[in-house]
Amino acid sequence: ETYFKYMHEHAPADIEPTLDQLTAVEHILKGGFAPYVDFAIFGPHGDRIQRALQLTGLVFGHDNTLQRRELRGPPCVESWTRCFNVFACAMIMLDAVLPPIIHRYRDFIIKQVTDYGRDCWAMIYQADARFRREHLGRMLHIASDDLNRAQAANREHPYSLDKPWNYILHIAAKEEEFWRDNVYVPCLLVLNRIRHPTSYVDGNAMICDSPLE
């Protein structure tokens, strides 16, 4: 097993993806898409999440009409970490990335909460979701172009077609412009009471109010 080869142990139950989760990530990777999964519906004990999803699609509103309920992301960094660990486990099992590299990205997000505080979590989670959903794909295209130019000039490049996301996630924390615009500056402005968090959180990656929502 690939996970055992790298980690020298079997995946713990609380981070082991279900067959459906593993197949979904594999399908994304084989399709050449950025390895984005929505932590509103992807996390520990995927079978339980799947059953819960069957009950949360439509709810009765105040006027007794059926309304669609939006599924929201992790309410805190601890919940996010539990979800991310399942995703990381799937990526390692599929040999898409080396453990230290994907764990480094996880630790980078955790550090943002340590640096800026829990009041900024909604902005930090939104930045993470946007990064994984949108920016990773852009980075892949740029790295591919850089590789082509390097090969044309008979030079080496660390990007590898065999394991593309290994390099992309390796340099993820170095995307200074993205993190400055989406985390560093917004969080500082909010912490200094110059702007309100609602100025930055636009609803495309909302968080739950509580772990049970």
Side-chain angles (χ1 to χ4, degrees), residues 6-200:
Y6 288 123
M7 305 301 292
H8 308 292
E9 64 176 0
H10 294 293
D14 60 340
I15 71 169
E16 184 176 12
T18 64
L19 180 59
D20 285 345
Q21 289 174 322
L22 191 64
T23 301
V25 175
E26 183 178 31
H27 178 76
I28 292 170
L29 293 172
K30 286 184 175 180
F33 302 107
Y36 169 77
V37 294
D38 188 344
F39 291 155
I41 58 174
F42 190 104
H45 309 293
D47 290 336
R48 302 177 192 175
I49 295 175
Q50 188 65 35
R51 287 194 294 272
L53 286 175
Q54 297 173 5
L55 304 175
T56 57
L58 295 172
V59 297
F60 280 102
H62 296 297
D63 57 356
N64 291 324
T65 60
L66 283 172
Q67 301 175 2
R68 188 166 298 280
R69 179 180 180 181
E70 180 183 12
L71 298 170
R72 299 190 173 194
C76 60
V77 69
E78 290 83 6
S79 295
W80 177 91
T81 301
R82 288 191 288 271
C83 295
F84 189 89
N85 285 341
V86 178
F87 167 65
C89 185
M91 292 286 282
I92 294 168
M93 284 181 166
L94 295 169
D95 206 14
V97 65
L98 294 174
I101 289 176
I102 197 163
H103 291 159
R104 191 178 304 137
Y105 177 83
R106 175 198 63 197
D107 295 344
F108 171 76
I109 296 298
I110 294 173
K111 184 177 185 299
Q112 305 316 304
V113 180
T114 302
D115 290 348
Y116 296 106
R118 293 178 179 274
D119 289 344
C120 290
W121 171 241
M123 292 182 292
I124 295 169
Y125 173 66
Q126 178 176 263
D128 159 65
R130 287 176 174 174
F131 187 84
R132 291 182 293 110
R133 183 175 58 233
E134 303 166 8
H135 200 70
L136 283 179
R138 180 174 183 274
M139 291 174 65
L140 183 71
H141 294 314
I142 293 174
S144 180
D145 288 344
D146 290 345
L147 176 64
N148 290 336
R149 284 193 292 271
Q151 290 176 335
N154 199 28
R155 291 184 287 105
E156 292 186 356
H157 192 278
Y159 174 72
S160 170
L161 295 175
D162 294 331
K163 196 174 289 188
W165 299 111
N166 204 56
Y167 171 72
I168 300 302
L169 286 168
H170 175 66
I171 63 172
K174 300 176 183 178
E175 289 292 287
E176 284 292 327
E177 183 178 355
F178 178 91
W179 298 115
R180 182 193 66 219
D181 293 346
N182 289 275
V183 174
Y184 306 153
V185 171
C187 287
L188 285 174
L189 291 175
V190 168
L191 290 175
N192 285 283
R193 301 184 184 281
I194 299 172
R195 300 288 293 274
H196 192 272
T198 54
S199 301
Y200 298 103

